[in-house]
């Protein structure tokens, strides 16, 4: 089957989902009212609450939610063959992610632009707020650990990309300070920054002296550096320490100095990257060599597939973006359909190209099977395969493969680094908030909270390991990231369901995805915690057991809260929605 | 509409997407600075002794509009000043 076929079928289903299903939901379930006065108009302060054109809100929302996660998840999940991953991405986007993102946006608009966390507190009480905070804490902790590991891994594998990434930091700061002070446009300076970055990447891929390759500095892969630790492990350790020092600084700076200008550069990268990959796919028209489905001995696809692909099918993180920022910028309530549902479709399109890039990379099926030899290996090499596959697609546009590989690595690392910055900053806020709740005011200070966030993330990424030393265990955390993300989505769907039920509308559109997600999370965590990571399990690991058990407890907690809410119908705490 | 117009419109749209969050962030920073200035001027309203409040009160008519937004942000539903009131 040609790779174009997968992409075309996926996009057609997305289009049908948007045209018909989202229209049905907008009209009959969420009942959008174009005359409803949105929070952007009610509380217009020119800062947070700003009525904005829907196309601009959509673009902004899409660039906020799309990152490295919808690329990484599918690149791992093709281990079970391309069809399960493809079906989950397509159906998950249409029936779960769409209603989730769209619903979180509408619910927030109907409640003065409040965030999902605040709504949970109003609906269920302080208990729900703490549950919510702890789940986000676990989620961002996983994000920090996984993405620090991902970036370190890519720095070790693609040393030509390091220089470009480091050049991006001063370029972003210059754009943030110099150009805005003069009130000039951001478009050309940020495009110029991108050209400088890609130029550097092209040069570095041809000139070994420009490649910051720590492994070769220490004498190659087989060299032992110190205390019996080999060069690769030492390289990992050094990169992770450098990254953590960097995120400490980046997350304590004001956002307009570094984080935001970097987001502009990344917005270009997202659009250019998607354009190049889809055009390359059209020109090269590669054949799919991966198997359609595959039976494996080590890890069953059910239920692990549904937590391996979180972003790209459904992601709880989107509800935070929808309800925290986007809902305050919506000009009309009817715009929520394009922004919420359309934003998740955009993410789905990114996940589809990730699947296509990986399943068309190999020349034969045997090569695919030997590369994806086990689930652990799939976790480890998924992203590298995406980068190689994407580079192969880009060759269709006459970009040399070595240069394309470096540029794709730069794109993925940029996304991951921005996610890391944001997640550490978010973790800092949450630590402060939890500390305020428990009256531990010493922990609310900026540097104390950031030190805890960075320290715990670094411990987590360095702790789980095997005989390969530092950094070998980072990929073990990916399923945990998926589960915590799905739990967050479960909470958002629960709140939307409660709201719909109170309105006397059909709540099955959100209730069914919620039950499905919580069931999959419970199943996956239960099987992994009890049969794999426990002290008597097949792959005993105390750290993963503890984290998995915590997530499992949270999942059960959400189910209980949902049951109690439905039983007692205690839903008067929400705002009236003017109907 | 010619190609040139379409291109310039596309670029303007793209630029607007990038500017939106940045503009609010700069405004937020400025608002925070303003809030500190108001706090220094009208700290007595929040129970912090202010030896020069007798003089800073003279500023009040000059900034009555902004003062209203400020006291709302500080969590006071109604203006704490009697006499000339903003709300």
């Amino acid at each position: 089957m040609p790779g174009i076929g997968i992409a075309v079928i996926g996009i057609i289903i997305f289009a049908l989902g948007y045209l018909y299903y989202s229209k049905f939901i907008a009209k009959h379930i969420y009942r959008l009212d174009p005359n409803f006065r949105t929070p952007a108009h009610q509380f217009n302060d020119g800062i947070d609450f700003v009525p904005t054109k829907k196309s601009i809100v959509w673009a902004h929302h899409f660039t906020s939610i799309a990152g490295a996660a919808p690329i990484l998840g599918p690149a791992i999940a093709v281990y079970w063959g391309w069809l399960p991953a493809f079906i989950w991405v397509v159906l998950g986007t249409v029936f779960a992610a769409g209603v989730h993102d769209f619903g979180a946006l509408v619910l927030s608009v109907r409640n003065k632009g409040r965030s999902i966390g605040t709504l949970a507190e109003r609906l269920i009480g302080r208990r729900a707020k703490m549950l919510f905070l702890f789940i986000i804490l676990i989620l961002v902790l996983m994000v920090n650990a996984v993405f620090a590991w991902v970036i370190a891994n890519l720095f070790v594998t693609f040393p030509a990309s390091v220089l470009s990434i480091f050049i991006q930091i001063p370029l972003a700061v210059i754009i943030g300070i110099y150009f805005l002070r003069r009130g000039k446009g951001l478009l050309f300076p940020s495009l110029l920054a991108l050209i400088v970055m890609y130029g550097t990447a092209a040069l570095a891929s041809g000139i070994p002296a420009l490649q910051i390759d720590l492994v070769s500095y220490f004498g190659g892969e087989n060299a032992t550096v110190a205390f019996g630790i080999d060069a690769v492990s030492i390289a990992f350790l050094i990169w992770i320490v450098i990254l953590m020092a960097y995120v400490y600084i980046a997350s304590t700076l004001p956002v307009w100095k570094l984080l935001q200008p970097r987001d502009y550069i990344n917005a270009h990268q997202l659009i250019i990257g998607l354009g190049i990959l889809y055009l390359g796919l059209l020109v090269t028209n590669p054949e799919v060599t991966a198997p359609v489905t595959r039976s494996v001995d080590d890890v069953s696809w059910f239920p692990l597939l549904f937590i391996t692909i979180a972003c790209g099918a459904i992601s709880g993180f989107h509800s935070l973006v929808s309800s925290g920022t986007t809902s305050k910028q919506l000009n009309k309530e009817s715009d929520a359909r394009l922004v919420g549902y359309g934003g998740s479709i955009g993410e789905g399109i990114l996940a589809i190209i990730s699947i296509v890039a990986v399943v068309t990379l190999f020349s034969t099926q045997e090569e695919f099977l030997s590369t994806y030899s086990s689930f652990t290996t799939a976790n480890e090499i998924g992203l590298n395969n995406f980068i190689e596959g994407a580079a192969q697609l880009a060759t269709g546009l006459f970009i040399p493969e070595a240069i394309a590989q470096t540029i794709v690595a730069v794109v993925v690392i940029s996304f991951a680094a921005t996610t890391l910055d944001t997640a550490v900053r978010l973790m800092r806020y949450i630590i402060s908030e939890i500390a305020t709740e428990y009256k531990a005011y010493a922990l609310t200070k900026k540097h104390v909270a950031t030190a805890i966030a960075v320290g715990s993330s670094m411990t987590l990424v360095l702790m789980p390991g095997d005989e390969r030393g530092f950094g070998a265990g980072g990929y073990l955390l990916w399923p945990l990231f998926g589960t915590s993300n799905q739990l967050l989505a479960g909470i958002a769907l629960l709140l939307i369901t409660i709201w719909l039920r109170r309105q006397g509308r059909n709540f099955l559109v959100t209730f069914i995805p919620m039950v499905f997600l919580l069931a999959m999370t419970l199943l996956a965590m239960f099987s992994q915690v009890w049969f794999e990571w426990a002290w008597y399990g097949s792959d005993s690991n105390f750290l993963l057991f503890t984290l998995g058990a915590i997530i499992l407890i949270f999942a059960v907690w959400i189910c209980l809260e949902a049951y109690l809410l439905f039983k007692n119908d205690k839903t008067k705490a929400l705002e009236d929605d003017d109907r | 509409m010619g190609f040139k117009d379409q291109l310039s419109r596309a670029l303007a749209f793209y630029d607007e997407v990038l500017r939106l969050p940045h503009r609010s962030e700069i405004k937020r920073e400025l608002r925070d600075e303003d809030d500190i200035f108001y706090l220094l001027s009208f700290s007595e309203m929040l129970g912090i002794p202010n030896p020069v409040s007798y003089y800073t009160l003279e500023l009040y008519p000059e900034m009555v509009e902004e003062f209203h937004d400020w006291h709302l942000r500080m969590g006071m539903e109604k203006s704490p000043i009697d006499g000339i009131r903003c709300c």
Side-chain angles (χ1 to χ4, degrees):
Chain A
M1 179 171 180
I4 292 179
I6 295 182
V8 168
I9 294 168
I11 289 169
I12 287 174
I13 297 173
F14 286 155
L16 292 173
Y18 182 76
L19 288 173
Y20 297 106
Y21 190 55
S22 78
K23 193 174 181 177
F24 160 77
I25 285 175
K27 199 171 171 181
H28 298 288
I29 309 292
Y30 296 148
R31 294 182 193 168
L32 303 185
D33 176 6
N35 300 319
F36 178 78
R37 213 156 162 258
T38 57
H41 289 285
Q42 272 179 313
F43 311 105
N44 188 347
D45 62 358
I47 297 174
D48 294 310
F49 296 89
V50 191
T52 312
K53 265 168 51 184
K54 68 177 173 184
S55 51
I56 290 174
V57 181
W58 176 83
H60 189 238
H61 180 77
F62 175 49
T63 49
S64 303
I65 59 175
I71 295 172
L72 179 54
I76 295 170
V78 292
Y79 170 67
W80 296 292
W82 64 262
L83 190 64
F86 174 74
I87 290 176
W88 171 228
V89 164
V90 170
L91 297 185
T93 299
V94 171
F95 293 107
V99 287
H100 165 270
D101 298 15
F102 185 9
L105 189 55
V106 174
L107 186 62
S108 179
V109 165
R110 287 273 160 184
N111 287 277
K112 299 182 180 174
R114 290 192 181 98
S115 72
I116 286 287
T118 316
L119 291 174
E121 187 183 10
R122 292 173 71 88
L123 193 67
I124 309 172
R126 187 166 168 265
R127 211 175 49 214
K129 185 187 174 187
M130 295 318 290
L131 164 74
F132 190 80
L133 283 176
F134 278 116
I135 285 184
I136 300 181
L137 187 69
I138 284 265
L139 175 68
V140 289
L141 184 63
M142 296 297 161
V143 170
N144 296 343
V146 168
F147 282 67
W149 179 83
V150 160
I151 297 170
N153 183 25
L154 292 176
F155 276 170
V156 170
T157 318
F158 302 97
S161 64
V162 178
L163 196 59
S164 287
I165 294 294
F166 277 81
I167 278 180
Q168 191 187 13
I169 299 166
L171 285 174
V173 173
I174 290 167
I175 292 172
I177 294 172
Y178 181 81
F179 284 91
L180 274 139
R181 282 279 165 85
R182 284 158 178 71
K184 288 189 166 66
L186 293 159
L187 182 61
F188 290 106
S190 51
L191 278 175
L192 197 66
L194 197 65
I195 291 166
V196 170
M197 278 171 64
Y198 288 174
T200 311
L203 282 174
S205 56
I207 306 170
L210 294 177
Q211 299 178 8
I212 302 176
D213 187 358
L214 293 186
V215 178
S216 70
Y217 296 166
F218 290 123
E221 277 185 29
N222 302 319
T224 304
V225 181
F227 306 107
I229 302 169
D230 62 74
V232 176
S233 298
I234 283 284
F236 255 107
L237 181 65
I238 290 173
W239 281 131
I240 284 169
V241 170
I242 289 173
L243 278 169
M244 288 296 166
Y246 156 76
V247 289
Y248 187 99
I249 297 164
S251 61
T252 46
L253 282 175
V255 288
W256 60 270
K257 275 190 178 156
L258 170 65
L259 198 65
Q260 279 193 341
R262 243 176 63 167
D263 277 348
Y264 309 146
I265 301 174
N266 285 350
H268 300 316
Q269 299 207 69
L270 181 65
I271 293 156
I272 292 170
L274 271 173
I276 286 178
L277 292 183
Y278 273 95
L279 280 174
L281 177 66
L282 283 176
V283 175
T284 54
N285 189 16
E287 274 298 313
V288 176
T289 50
V292 179
T293 55
R294 179 184 177 192
S295 62
V296 288
D297 307 327
D298 56 348
V299 180
S300 160
W301 69 273
F302 185 87
L304 220 63
L305 168 70
F306 304 104
I307 55 170
T308 304
I309 304 180
C311 292
I314 177 166
S315 157
F317 176 73
H318 297 186
S319 66
L320 299 181
V321 179
S322 291
S323 64
T325 44
T326 308
S327 64
K328 294 171 181 159
Q329 299 167 341
L330 222 55
N331 185 28
K332 281 189 186 149
E333 198 185 48
S334 47
D335 296 350
R337 181 181 158 208
L338 172 73
V339 176
Y341 202 97
S344 59
I345 294 279
E347 180 116 322
I349 288 174
L350 185 59
I352 292 278
I353 199 69
S354 174
I355 293 176
V356 173
V358 177
V359 298
T360 56
L361 167 64
F362 303 95
S363 48
T364 60
Q365 193 172 109
E366 286 68 38
E367 200 184 329
F368 175 90
L369 296 175
S370 62
T371 309
Y372 278 89
S373 55
S374 71
F375 186 62
T376 313
T377 315
N379 274 279
E380 199 175 352
I381 54 150
L383 201 54
N384 299 356
N385 287 340
F386 166 78
I387 289 170
E388 286 168 23
Q392 215 172 61
L393 293 178
T395 53
L397 302 179
F398 309 108
I399 304 171
E401 192 160 355
I403 292 176
Q405 234 177 57
T406 308
I407 289 178
V408 176
V410 167
V411 172
V412 175
I413 295 169
S414 306
F415 287 167
T418 310
T419 310
L420 193 63
D421 285 351
T422 314
V424 171
R425 190 178 288 272
L426 193 59
M427 194 168 170
R428 182 185 101 202
Y429 295 148
I430 292 161
I431 289 171
S432 299
E433 199 159 342
I434 291 176
T436 311
E437 286 285 335
Y438 289 108
K439 297 190 170 48
Y441 295 114
L443 303 183
T444 59
K445 291 188 167 52
K446 182 162 84 172
H447 288 285
V448 177
T450 310
I452 294 172
V454 169
S456 55
S457 307
M458 194 151 122
T459 311
L460 187 59
V461 71
L462 292 176
M463 257 180 75
D466 51 19
E467 67 286 349
R468 284 166 296 184
F470 292 115
Y475 53 81
L476 293 172
L477 299 167
W478 183 255
L480 288 174
F481 161 75
T483 42
S484 40
N485 209 345
Q486 303 301 44
L487 285 185
L488 198 55
I491 292 188
L493 287 168
L494 169 66
L495 293 175
I496 303 162
T497 307
I498 296 290
W499 176 67
L500 289 174
R501 184 165 174 253
R502 195 177 55 98
Q503 301 292 327
R505 300 179 202 167
N506 179 356
F507 57 84
L508 288 177
V509 289
T510 53
F511 183 74
I512 294 170
M514 177 190 92
V515 171
F516 179 77
L517 274 187
L518 290 177
M520 289 309 122
T521 307
L522 281 169
L523 263 175
M525 275 297 97
F526 190 78
S527 62
Q528 285 194 298
V529 167
W530 294 121
F531 300 115
E532 277 181 54
W533 300 329
W535 58 95
Y536 52 79
S538 57
D539 187 15
S540 181
N541 187 321
F542 176 73
L543 182 79
L544 295 180
F545 172 77
T546 311
L547 288 169
I550 290 171
I551 292 176
L552 191 60
I553 291 165
F554 284 144
V556 172
W557 187 355
I558 295 174
C559 293
L560 286 174
E561 292 285 5
Y563 171 73
L564 288 174
L565 267 173
F566 270 80
K567 189 166 155 271
N568 304 333
D569 198 17
K570 198 184 74 173
T571 52
K572 53 189 175 293
L574 271 184
E575 299 279 320
D576 273 329
D577 78 340
D578 303 355
R579 284 185 189 282
Chain B
M1 194 194 294
F3 173 72
K4 206 172 168 185
D5 285 343
Q6 281 187 328
L7 185 70
S8 61
R9 274 185 61 176
L11 288 180
F13 162 76
Y14 202 39
D15 200 34
E16 185 56 32
V17 171
L18 299 181
R19 277 167 174 269
L20 181 72
H22 213 103
R23 209 170 24 214
S24 17
E25 204 51 47
I26 299 288
K27 278 187 179 169
R28 193 193 318 278
E29 294 271 330
L30 289 171
R31 188 182 69 179
D32 288 350
E33 274 184 20
D34 273 355
D35 281 357
I36 291 173
F37 175 69
Y38 275 77
L39 181 66
L40 289 172
S41 307
F42 300 107
S43 60
E44 289 219 329
M45 324 255 157
L46 295 169
I48 304 163
N50 181 0
V52 292
S53 67
Y54 178 78
Y55 301 99
T56 56
L57 264 182
E58 288 186 15
L59 297 170
Y60 176 71
E62 299 296 327
M63 37 205 205
V64 64
E65 282 300 317
E66 290 88 350
F67 181 83
H68 173 69
D69 292 338
W70 175 78
H71 77 70
L72 285 178
R73 276 202 298 278
M74 295 301 120
M76 293 179 272
E77 287 287 315
K78 287 269 176 266
S79 166
I81 300 178
D82 296 332
I84 323 162
R85 295 179 64 129
C86 50
C87 55

